[in-house]
Amino acid sequence: MATYLFTTRVVMKRFARWGIAGVDVHKPGKPKVPEMGGTALLFGTFCFVTVLALLGALTGELLSIFMAILIAGLIGVIDDRYTLNKRVKPALCALAGLPIVLMGTYPHELLLPLSVSFNIPTLYMILVPIALAVTANAINMFDVMNGVASGTSLIVLLTLVVTWSVRFVLVGGTDVTFATGAALMLLPPAVVLFAFNRYPSRVFLGDTGTLALGAAIGAFVVVSGLEFPGVVVMMVPITNAFFSIFSHGGLFERSELKSRPISVGDDGRLSSNPDPSAPLTLTRIILLLGYEREEEVFLAYMQLTLVTAILSVLCGLLIWGIG
Amino acid sequence: MILLRFRAMPALVILVANVVFITIAPRAWFEILVLLNRWLTPVIGRALTTYIQALLTVMGGVAWLYLWREGFRRLFRRLLKERAAGTRASCRPRL
């Protein structure tokens, strides 16, 4: 926790001085905020894994999750500094799944609610990189306003830990050391990043943070075998990414948008852009439902994610309780 | 009561409907595939039955994606209309 706090503070102080800052477009004065806060996640998890390795407690599962975070984070660093091609970035994010495939730390069986299961070891191997590319890019595309991506990631990770505990109580037999280690590795940075990134943001996650957080979620879901509850709890970011891509007719970079989905008034009130050519994002729908301020939109997203979190735990009960 | 006053209720309804669908659909689809297997295999053979099952599964997946997208698109269009007409309480200008 101390490492995460220290690194985030360094990012806040130094990065702004080095010109690594982004513009907060949803505030009237368009202030500049230090970017690449996700560096804290990379450095913090690196320190955590190093300590575990020195203590001889580093398992293959935890190492594969860390490697996935590291690869996605490094792709994020490159994207933050040089802006990757819109098609190259998602493809590169799939590389984050390679450590899990190569180390064989994925389950061979896909469990769905109401006693449906598929024993698909070969297909699962192909699905792992796709799953990580989806989660990483979904969180990346969900970084729409202050605290939305970090808050959602925190709720998702907490829900996954709760769902894992539900499975442990109902079924038992799974590795407690792994779950404890993963929770200790992933939750503290998510808390620290959210504390600094929440409205009004003192630091932006950048692609470094969003891709790394998304990969962390994807890797934890795959390695712990929580695929279905993971999809349910990620429903809000996945829906946002799905509509953005479909309404725009393919992948896109924010910088290439001719018409932005939302506009900001002089008084800081947000409104949905009536231009039909603007991408149909979830934020546009939320704004049309009567939300006006950035903090209101943030709260709406957190409430929606909390509902999917509850549904995710219930799905876990349907999988392991009935199955 | 809290839920009824929740302004993002229409979006929530579509999200929950989607979750309910993906929870129930695999089991229901599995049952349909078993029935298809029982009925078609003696008539057209195992290989062709598997092909038809795979085809129907892909078509079902595409139909689900279409309905999911259409649900949100219709909601969006309705909200845009209501906003233009000023008929939605939350879209009326505030004093």
Side-chain angles (χ1 to χ4, degrees):
Chain A
M1 189 66 115
T3 318
Y4 298 125
L5 276 169
F6 171 74
T7 323
T8 314
R9 287 198 173 277
V10 168
V11 168
M12 279 168 62
K13 283 183 183 169
R14 302 278 173 185
F15 280 27
R17 212 177 294 165
W18 295 339
I20 304 172
V23 179
D24 196 342
V25 291
H26 299 127
K27 303 259 182 336
K30 303 217 181 323
K32 281 202 162 188
V33 178
E35 217 174 12
M36 286 173 75
T39 320
L41 174 67
L42 299 186
F43 187 69
T45 45
F46 174 74
C47 291
F48 181 82
V49 167
T50 309
V51 170
L52 278 187
L54 290 173
L55 293 172
L58 184 63
T59 60
E61 284 89 354
L62 287 176
L63 184 63
S64 61
I65 292 178
F66 167 68
M67 292 296 286
I69 295 170
L70 189 67
I71 292 171
L74 290 177
I75 294 163
V77 171
I78 298 168
D79 193 33
D80 275 330
R81 300 308 298 152
Y82 306 106
T83 309
L84 288 167
N85 179 287
K86 60 189 177 185
R87 286 186 187 86
V88 171
K89 189 165 71 172
L92 280 177
C93 286
L95 290 177
L98 280 184
I100 298 171
V101 174
L102 294 174
M103 294 170 82
T105 52
Y106 58 92
H108 291 178
E109 198 176 23
L110 180 65
L111 287 171
L112 299 177
L114 307 171
S115 313
V116 179
S117 64
F118 298 99
N119 192 19
I120 42 168
T122 315
L123 183 64
Y124 207 112
M125 199 170 66
I126 301 163
L127 289 176
V128 171
I130 297 171
L132 265 85
V134 168
T135 52
N137 284 289
I139 293 292
N140 181 242
M141 292 176 84
F142 205 45
D143 195 14
V144 286
M145 279 175 201
N146 290 185
V148 173
S150 56
T152 306
S153 301
L154 180 59
I155 294 173
V156 170
L157 286 168
L158 274 170
T159 309
L160 290 171
V161 172
V162 171
T163 315
W164 182 91
S165 310
V166 168
R167 185 178 68 182
F168 183 71
V169 170
L170 291 173
V171 186
T174 39
D175 192 1
V176 182
T177 325
F178 156 70
T180 316
L184 285 172
M185 183 164 77
L186 302 176
L187 287 177
V191 171
V192 171
L193 285 178
F194 175 63
F196 285 94
N197 183 241
R198 71 190 163 88
Y199 181 90
S201 285
R202 286 182 282 167
V203 67
F204 283 158
L205 300 179
D207 291 322
T208 315
T210 52
L211 290 177
L213 275 173
I217 291 167
F220 185 57
V221 162
V222 168
V223 175
S224 56
L226 298 170
E227 304 87 353
F228 193 81
V231 169
V232 172
V233 74
M234 281 286 286
M235 192 54 82
V236 182
I238 289 174
T239 304
N240 178 64
F242 176 70
F243 289 113
S244 304
I245 291 168
F246 270 82
S247 65
H248 196 260
L251 295 161
F252 62 91
E253 273 295 324
R254 275 172 207 162
S255 53
E256 70 183 47
L257 289 177
K258 285 176 192 155
S259 182
R260 289 192 73 87
I262 49 177
S263 46
V264 191
D266 293 334
D267 56 353
R269 285 189 180 178
L270 308 171
S271 57
S272 176
N273 190 349
D275 184 358
S277 67
L280 169 53
T281 60
L282 211 51
T283 312
R284 274 180 95 186
I285 292 177
I286 295 285
L287 288 171
L288 283 172
L289 287 166
Y291 296 87
E292 288 182 324
R293 302 247 170 221
E294 194 177 356
E295 58 268 44
E296 288 179 352
V297 177
F298 162 75
L299 272 177
Y301 273 134
M302 292 306 106
Q303 288 163 341
L304 287 173
T305 311
L306 275 175
V307 174
T308 56
I310 294 165
L311 290 173
S312 168
V313 177
L314 290 175
C315 285
L317 288 172
L318 276 177
I319 296 170
W320 301 293
I322 295 175
Chain B
M1 197 62 195
I2 295 166
L3 271 177
L4 287 174
R5 290 171 68 184
F6 185 40
R7 279 183 287 178
M9 196 59 177
L12 181 67
V13 168
I14 298 177
L15 278 173
V16 173
N18 196 24
V19 171
V20 171
F21 179 79
I22 61 169
T23 306
I24 298 168
R27 179 80 225 182
W29 192 243
F30 177 75
E31 297 294 337
I32 292 168
L33 290 182
V34 170
L35 278 177
L36 276 175
N37 198 44
R38 198 177 299 159
W39 291 339
L40 293 180
T41 307
V43 185
I44 57 173
R46 195 172 173 183
L48 205 55
T49 305
T50 310
Y51 176 74
I52 288 171
Q53 283 175 331
L55 193 72
L56 286 174
T57 305
V58 171
M59 281 167 67
V62 172
W64 161 60
L65 286 177
Y66 174 78
L67 288 173
W68 184 19
R69 190 187 72 163
E70 214 39 39
F72 267 103
R73 190 179 269 185
R74 283 186 185 202
L75 170 67
F76 180 66
R77 282 188 192 147
R78 202 190 81 194
L79 290 171
L80 267 184
K81 269 187 193 169
E82 284 180 354
R83 189 187 178 87
T87 51
R88 190 176 181 83
S90 56
C91 294
R92 285 183 201 134
R94 291 177 188 182
L95 296 171

